[in-house]
Amino acid sequence: MAEHESLEFGKADFVLLDNVSMEEFMANLKLRFDKGRIYTYIGEVVVSVNPYRAMNIYGRDTVEQYKGRELYERPPHLFAIADAAYKAMKRRNKDTCIVISGESGAGKTEASKYIMQYIAAITNPNQRAEVERVKNMLLKSNCVLEAFGNAKTNRNDNSSRFGKYMDINFDFKGDPIGGHISNYLLEKCRVIFQQEGERSFHSFYQLLRGAPDSLIRSLHIQKDPAAYNYIKSSINDGADFKAVADAMKVIGFTGDEIQTVYKILATILHLGNLTFGVDGDVTLIENTKLVSILRELLSTKEENVEKALLYRTVATGRDVIEKQHTVQEASYGRDALAKAMYERLFCWIVGRINDIIEVKNYDAKIHGKNTVIGVLDIYGFEIFQNNSFEQFCINYCNEKLQQLFIQLVLKQEQEEYQREGIPWKHIDYFNNQIIVDLVEQQHKGIFSVLDEACMNVGKVTDEVFLQGLNTKLAKHAHYTSRKLSPTDKSLEFDRDFRIRHYAGDVVYSVVGFIDKNKDTLFQDFKRLLYNSSNPVLKGMWPEGKLSITEVTKRPLTAATLFKNSMISLVENLACKEPYYVRCIKPNDVKSPLLFEQERCRHQVEYLGLLENVRVRRAGFAYRQTYPRFLQRYKMISEFTWPNHELSSDKEAVKRLLQGCGFDHDVAYGKTKVFIRTPRTLFSLEEQRAEMVQRIVLFLQKVWRGTIARMRYRRMRAALVILQAYRRYKVKSYFREVHRRFKNVKSMKDYGRHVKWPTPPKVLRKFEEALRSIYNRYADKISAFYFQRCTSLNTETEDEPLSNNMFLNCKNRAVLITDRHLYKMDPLRQYKPMKSIPLYNVTGVSVSPGKDQLVVFHTKDSRDLVVCLQGMVPANESRIGELVGTLLSHFRIHSQQNCRTTCSDRMTVTVGK
């Protein structure tokens, strides 16, 4: 079920603002920040505000909430955009990318890590070991790259000082199988110099603070960062040393490779403490002990180290000469070597990671298409007091990405309207192509002017470069300098120029542009490191194998290399389906409570967020596929709830919106419905919320009734089973009683020795009563059944009984109790036919012959005659026993003396 935030948190999508203005945009952004909602949508773009505090919104439970969901189904989140990119890649077999942008400290690096963690969490459901290994290496690579590429700045304690683009490769099942990392423009000048309050790269401090004593001694370094000229310290990174070392081992770095990394870091620290002096005309190294340490760490010869630091070998035709450095040249060479070594180290680390994680032996014909999700985490647009060559390149990079963003957003919108058959409404927007051309255009752009200045013969200065800019760009609307604007005192003569960027005006100082663009490193250092006996270090400097006299092409300048890499990056992103995360830094003091309006407003402007909203709102504020729209709003209309019977979902949506009176504010595309104003969508949401309450109550009622019926059926079933079981037990008991006692009448003790079966619990009292009755009557009843009972009907009195006097003989049964004597009919279920009270019996006569006649004499002269033929053996002892039993019974219960006779002649009195 979709979950939407209450309006108390503001609008979750800026596209749904009532009025598109900077004031409403900022008010909504601040409200959501104050309420702890750091993510907001602009259509399919996520705006992220750095909360400067830990938030419990990235756990496994949150991952499950966004897994497989559409963007609109859950509140705005990074996971939603990551899932959208993953679904597009997996379902539509399309390469996608997630572009993360914003200024330093806005949270770009953290956002990229959360996106990587989400992709890792939702993939490989079958827990394949190889996929788990690849995922682990991809995640660990972040840890390593942060250590060597990030640094503390005045704006951010973990600022990425390089650009990073990672491609993650997926197989046809959607599981990661490898990746590739591209790095851009490492800020290597930070190795030798940092602004006040800033630091060098984390790796130096982690080594000094966290390395074991044995490693510290082997590298000849101290734990105190203050002992080294190149670095400054303010944070203890000791705990991170082991984490980075372990991550490198997981990725696949060997022990020797990791040791070489530490040696290079130590070498750079020692280089920073190397000082030069002059003895006459000779330049020398003042602290020569460091040369021996450098020789050991670099695995080369000591004399070669000293020579490379103090001399430059120059080839003039066939002649080779050694030119001694001045102190300034030696210091420049030392710093250039330190920067180059760190840059080569960083690029080697990236290349080594790529060697391990890149997809190998993948055949698309066998394994299916290899799809990609790209994640771009790159430095943001910034304005400093003294903006250098590096910052100029960074801001140019952001101009390129902003151009791509605007073009793709407009392109996506236009393509969608055309695809759906909806008229496209053109809107005006600022196209920053003019600024991009200002920087990169051939022969006219700033990079071209800079390269031309570097190629000039003779003394080339930064001022010469600035003059070239003033000449070629004098009429450009987005360029100016103090020479072109003499009255502008914010610019220094022969030093500054200003560019009117998309995000604002920035003043750059040309000091250092020429040197940084040339990026000169003496060939002697390259040969020195190539000739190292350490194979890892040797492999980092392949060009060192060239001989001194060997002619080489002029290397590309730093500006050209960076421009080419940016063009390649943008082309790579343009061929993928892009998703955007736009990061905003709410304040400069890293407070979780402070929202600085002007600072945030400036970032909104340079990120183009308001223009993005306007583009999105140019035609229709909201669009959704017909099935999805019905799924959310079908309960509003009786024609669509619970399911419609119309010809298509499109017709059902039309009927729904017409019934609500919104037909004038919508357009119907081929696969989607387009809603023009947010007010219509809010009205639909209000009607839906009202209906949802009623539906919930109805469902609760139905469910409670269902539960009650289920409970009743279970109870009834249990009762039926219980009753059936009881009946079964009772019947079983009676069958067993019958089986055991069915022949007791032929037993001498009438069954007194028979063991009673164990009764069920329900019959225990009954069994006790039954046993009592049985025992009582077993003692007292003389006979229970008399078969072939014979009754005599005659009108004579006092006439001798003889065989020929029988007129009517029938089978009868006689039952004698303690009060009555009953004559019963066996053919009519032993229905009593005659009842004689025992006190009315005066005597019993028994025939000794085979006829076995018995006569019960009564006071009212209605004697009963029965025949025991076939039931009692014809002998006197058995008859005597029977007569004795009857006599005893009658004496006890008739309360009078009964005469008993045994004779072959008996007198029967028969009344009328």
Side-chain angles (χ1 to χ4, degrees):
M1 180 178 176
E3 175 188 326
H4 289 259
E5 294 177 327
S6 167
L7 288 178
E8 68 173 300
F9 301 110
K11 306 290 174 56
D13 192 331
F14 286 112
V15 174
L16 302 179
L17 291 174
D18 292 327
N19 297 307
V20 181
S21 65
M22 180 60 76
E23 289 69 26
E24 285 213 18
F25 188 101
M26 294 303 300
N28 190 60
L29 188 67
K30 183 179 186 305
L31 173 61
R32 292 184 62 77
F33 177 79
D34 292 341
K35 295 286 187 178
R37 298 303 193 268
I38 63 172
Y39 299 119
T40 313
Y41 290 140
I42 302 177
E44 295 181 348
V45 175
V46 172
V47 179
S48 170
V49 183
N50 193 335
Y52 288 117
R53 58 189 171 94
M55 301 188 72
N56 187 26
I57 57 172
Y58 305 103
R60 185 71 204 187
D61 291 344
T62 309
V63 169
E64 292 299 324
Q65 292 172 12
Y66 285 87
K67 183 178 178 181
R69 298 294 192 96
E70 298 298 328
L71 277 176
Y72 77 95
E73 290 187 87
R74 306 291 299 172
H77 200 287
L78 276 177
F79 290 171
I81 211 74
D83 196 80
Y86 180 76
K87 286 201 301 286
M89 181 274 301
K90 187 175 180 181
R91 293 178 182 175
R92 303 198 298 272
N93 208 27
K94 295 190 67 173
D95 291 344
T96 61
C97 64
I98 302 173
V99 180
I100 307 170
S101 56
E103 72 173 51
S104 180
K108 300 186 299 297
T109 300
E110 290 299 306
S112 69
K113 287 195 289 188
Y114 286 132
I115 288 171
M116 290 284 292
Q117 289 172 10
Y118 179 83
I119 293 173
I122 65 172
T123 53
N124 195 29
N126 297 325
Q127 296 296 303
R128 289 189 292 158
E130 175 60 19
V131 177
E132 286 298 308
R133 186 186 71 84
V134 171
K135 290 198 306 185
N136 199 22
M137 287 193 299
L138 290 173
L139 293 175
K140 293 295 184 182
S141 68
N142 276 331
C143 174
V144 176
L145 293 177
E146 278 190 25
F148 290 90
N150 289 22
K152 178 188 180 299
T153 68
N154 289 323
R155 299 187 176 188
N156 185 2
D157 287 345
N158 188 34
S159 177
S160 296
R161 306 319 299 166
F162 72 106
K164 181 184 73 173
Y165 175 75
M166 174 182 281
D167 270 333
I168 309 172
N169 298 86
F170 296 83
D171 63 14
F172 70 98
K173 296 187 296 296
D175 291 332
I177 55 175
H180 182 85
I181 299 170
S182 299
N183 61 295
Y184 304 96
L185 191 68
L186 178 74
E187 189 189 31
K188 61 182 180 181
C189 62
R190 182 170 291 273
V191 172
I192 64 171
F193 175 76
Q194 306 95 42
Q195 298 285 348
E196 186 66 31
E198 297 189 350
R199 297 198 322 170
S200 186
F201 295 98
H202 297 326
S203 55
F204 292 110
Y205 307 95
Q206 291 172 1
L207 175 65
L208 296 179
R209 297 288 196 177
D213 292 341
S214 58
L215 179 59
I216 292 289
R217 287 193 298 272
S218 69
L219 299 176
H220 305 285
I221 56 177
Q222 307 175 39
K223 286 182 173 291
D224 183 12
Y228 300 97
N229 296 329
Y230 276 165
I231 63 176
K232 301 172 184 178
S233 179
S234 60
I235 301 174
N236 191 339
D237 301 278
D240 296 328
F241 176 82
K242 187 175 185 305
V244 174
D246 291 343
M248 294 178 75
K249 291 176 184 176
V250 169
I251 293 171
F253 286 81
T254 67
D256 290 342
E257 289 172 338
I258 296 174
Q259 284 298 315
T260 299
V261 170
Y262 297 148
K263 287 180 180 179
I264 293 174
L265 293 177
T267 297
I268 293 171
L269 292 175
H270 289 306
L271 280 173
N273 288 355
L274 201 66
T275 56
F276 300 96
V278 179
D279 184 5
D281 295 333
V282 179
T283 303
L284 49 80
I285 298 172
E286 294 181 334
N287 39 0
T288 56
K289 183 180 178 181
L290 290 178
V291 178
S292 177
I293 295 174
L294 292 175
R295 185 271 314 163
E296 178 184 339
L297 295 175
L298 296 177
S299 301
T300 186
K301 297 178 180 180
E302 186 170 336
E303 59 270 22
N304 291 345
V305 174
E306 184 172 354
K307 185 177 179 180
L309 288 168
L310 295 176
Y311 294 89
R312 181 184 179 190
T313 304
V314 181
T316 57
R318 294 184 178 180
D319 297 328
V320 177
I321 61 173
E322 292 182 350
K323 180 178 179 298
Q324 182 173 321
H325 290 317
T326 65
V327 172
Q328 292 76 16
E329 290 172 338
S331 298
Y332 174 86
R334 173 202 64 199
D335 292 344
L337 175 62
K339 291 187 293 182
M341 287 186 70
Y342 194 82
E343 182 184 41
R344 292 292 177 100
L345 171 64
F346 185 77
C347 292
W348 175 82
I349 289 174
V350 173
R352 188 73 183 88
I353 293 174
N354 284 335
D355 290 340
I356 298 169
I357 68 174
E358 280 185 330
V359 180
K360 300 176 181 67
N361 302 322
Y362 194 93
D363 188 342
K365 294 180 180 178
I366 300 175
H367 304 101
K369 184 185 176 185
N370 180 342
T371 48
V372 167
I373 293 180
V375 180
L376 177 66
D377 171 19
I378 204 161
Y379 17 61
F381 183 92
E382 290 181 312
I383 303 175
F384 294 104
Q385 291 295 324
N386 183 20
N387 296 286
S388 62
F389 172 77
E390 289 85 3
Q391 196 57 44
F392 175 76
C393 292
I394 289 172
N395 291 347
Y396 156 70
C397 165
N398 279 268
E399 289 287 354
K400 289 288 288 184
L401 293 176
Q402 184 63 25
Q403 180 194 34
L404 177 70
F405 174 70
I406 293 175
Q407 286 181 345
L408 288 182
V409 167
L410 287 172
K411 180 182 177 183
Q412 286 176 338
E413 288 288 305
Q414 187 170 6
E415 286 180 350
E416 182 169 35
Y417 284 124
Q418 290 175 346
R419 189 168 55 248
E420 294 292 328
I422 304 296
W424 166 252
K425 177 183 176 182
H426 177 75
I427 65 163
D428 294 325
Y429 66 96
F430 176 71
N431 188 342
N432 67 334
Q433 181 66 49
I434 187 174
I435 302 173
V436 173
D437 290 341
L438 170 65
V439 177
E440 70 178 21
Q441 190 174 16
Q442 290 288 340
H443 308 301
K444 296 181 180 179
I446 293 174
F447 280 157
S448 292
V449 176
L450 180 59
D451 285 350
E452 287 177 10
C454 291
M455 286 187 289
N456 288 338
V457 179
K459 184 68 173 177
V460 180
T461 63
D462 296 319
E463 290 77 11
V464 172
F465 161 60
L466 182 58
Q467 291 172 9
L469 292 179
N470 291 334
T471 301
K472 292 196 174 184
L473 302 174
K475 297 182 179 180
H476 200 287
H478 290 264
Y479 172 86
T480 190
S481 67
R482 185 66 183 271
K483 182 178 180 180
L484 301 178
S485 302
T487 59
D488 190 345
K489 296 183 179 180
S490 64
L491 300 171
E492 289 288 334
F493 279 109
D494 298 329
R495 191 194 74 179
D496 298 339
F497 66 93
R498 180 189 294 120
I499 293 179
R500 186 182 302 166
H501 282 284
Y502 175 85
D505 294 353
V506 183
V507 175
Y508 297 98
S509 169
V510 296
V511 175
F513 265 61
I514 294 293
D515 283 341
K516 290 177 180 179
N517 189 47
K518 284 183 176 180
D519 197 18
T520 303
L521 179 67
F522 300 140
Q523 189 72 17
D524 301 77
F525 291 126
K526 298 177 183 178
R527 285 192 294 270
L528 171 70
L529 296 173
Y530 175 77
N531 291 316
S532 168
S533 60
N534 184 324
V536 177
L537 188 62
K538 180 185 181 74
M540 294 181 189
W541 301 89
E543 66 271 41
K545 66 181 178 181
L546 299 176
S547 65
I548 298 172
T549 57
E550 198 168 347
V551 179
T552 60
K553 291 178 62 177
R554 182 190 296 268
L556 296 177
T557 63
T560 299
L561 289 171
F562 186 70
K563 180 186 72 172
N564 293 342
S565 67
M566 285 299 101
I567 293 174
S568 175
L569 173 63
V570 169
E571 289 176 350
N572 188 4
L573 296 175
C575 68
K576 294 179 171 62
E577 183 173 318
Y579 295 84
Y580 290 93
V581 178
R582 313 292 260 173
C583 299
I584 291 178
K585 183 178 182 179
N587 57 75
D588 279 328
V589 293
K590 301 165 188 168
S591 168
L593 303 176
L594 182 61
F595 186 90
E596 296 178 351
Q597 288 277 356
E598 285 305 313
R599 157 168 277 287
C600 294
R601 183 189 184 107
H602 174 70
Q603 294 174 78
V604 169
E605 289 176 346
Y606 91 72
L607 289 172
L609 301 183
L610 197 61
E611 282 193 347
N612 188 193
V613 176
R614 290 193 177 108
V615 169
R616 188 78 177 179
R617 285 280 295 272
F620 297 88
Y622 175 85
R623 74 286 316 265
Q624 190 54 259
T625 59
Y626 294 119
R628 288 283 184 181
F629 187 88
L630 279 177
Q631 182 181 358
R632 181 154 187 81
Y633 299 111
K634 64 180 181 179
M635 69 283 297
I636 295 175
S637 172
E638 61 180 334
F639 298 105
T640 55
W641 178 258
N643 294 297
H644 70 85
E645 297 181 354
L646 298 171
S647 59
S648 66
D649 287 344
K650 180 177 181 179
E651 292 300 318
V653 171
K654 284 185 178 181
R655 181 68 65 89
L656 187 154
L657 291 171
Q658 288 170 356
C660 295
F662 299 138
D663 199 45
H664 65 284
D665 199 39
V666 299
Y668 303 100
K670 296 176 182 178
T671 65
K672 293 182 178 181
V673 59
F674 291 74
I675 298 178
R676 191 177 305 278
T677 62
R679 182 54 51 197
T680 296
L681 188 63
F682 293 150
S683 179
L684 286 171
E685 283 292 326
E686 290 171 0
Q687 293 182 51
R688 180 184 181 275
E690 181 182 351
M691 288 302 300
V692 165
Q693 290 183 355
R694 295 169 61 181
I695 292 171
V696 168
L697 290 174
F698 174 75
L699 291 176
Q700 286 177 340
K701 181 189 75 171
V702 172
W703 179 239
R704 286 170 179 165
T706 300
I707 291 176
R709 286 189 291 274
M710 290 170 59
R711 186 181 296 116
Y712 166 75
R713 283 194 292 268
R714 285 195 299 267
M715 292 174 64
R716 186 165 179 247
L719 181 60
V720 169
I721 293 171
L722 180 61
Q723 290 174 341
Y725 183 71
R726 282 180 175 178
R727 285 195 298 271
Y728 163 75
K729 295 294 285 185
V730 169
K731 289 181 179 180
S732 298
Y733 173 73
F734 281 120
R735 281 195 294 266
E736 182 63 18
V737 169
H738 176 265
R739 186 187 67 80
R740 295 188 184 188
F741 288 90
K742 65 181 179 180
N743 296 319
V744 296
K745 61 185 177 181
S746 62
M747 298 177 186
K748 186 175 180 180
D749 60 353
Y750 298 105
R752 290 185 182 89
H753 72 283
V754 176
K755 184 177 180 181
W756 287 72
T758 303
K761 187 175 181 180
V762 70
L763 292 179
R764 285 178 184 174
K765 291 186 177 181
F766 173 78
E767 188 261 356
E768 293 175 1
L770 185 62
R771 291 180 69 170
S772 175
I773 293 171
Y774 177 82
N775 291 333
R776 182 176 180 183
Y777 285 101
D779 292 337
K780 300 176 182 179
I781 297 178
S782 300
F784 289 93
Y785 297 100
F786 295 89
Q787 293 185 351
R788 295 185 56 82
C789 295
T790 303
S791 62
L792 178 62
N793 295 322
T794 178
E795 296 181 355
T796 61
E797 295 184 5
D798 300 323
E799 185 176 347
L801 184 62
S802 64
N803 290 336
N804 58 3
M805 290 179 61
F806 288 106
L807 302 176
N808 186 16
C809 296
K810 293 183 179 180
N811 288 332
R812 294 289 183 262
V814 175
L815 175 64
I816 305 174
T817 69
D818 57 350
R819 294 185 180 182
H820 291 82
L821 184 150
Y822 297 96
K823 182 177 73 171
M824 298 179 293
D825 186 354
L827 298 179
R828 299 176 64 184
Q829 297 181 342
Y830 294 96
K831 181 178 181 182
M833 300 174 64
K834 183 177 182 180
S835 174
I836 304 174
L838 286 190
Y839 61 80
N840 205 26
V841 177
T842 59
V844 179
S845 297
V846 180
S847 170
K850 293 182 179 180
D851 50 10
Q852 296 182 349
L853 294 177
V854 178
V855 179
F856 296 95
H857 304 284
T858 62
K859 293 178 181 180
D860 55 2
S861 301
R862 295 180 63 86
D863 294 351
L864 176 63
V865 182
V866 296
C867 178
L868 303 181
Q869 184 179 3
M871 296 299 299
V872 181
N875 58 70
E876 293 183 1
S877 61
R878 190 71 182 93
I879 293 174
E881 183 181 345
L882 174 62
V883 171
T885 301
L886 290 174
L887 182 61
S888 175
H889 184 78
F890 284 123
R891 284 175 180 174
I892 294 173
H893 296 290
S894 65
Q895 300 178 353
Q896 59 181 324
N897 293 326
C898 293
R899 69 180 187 276
T900 305
T901 61
C902 182
S903 174
D904 54 2
R905 288 188 65 86
M906 292 179 284
T907 301
V908 180
T909 304
V910 182
K912 294 185 179 181

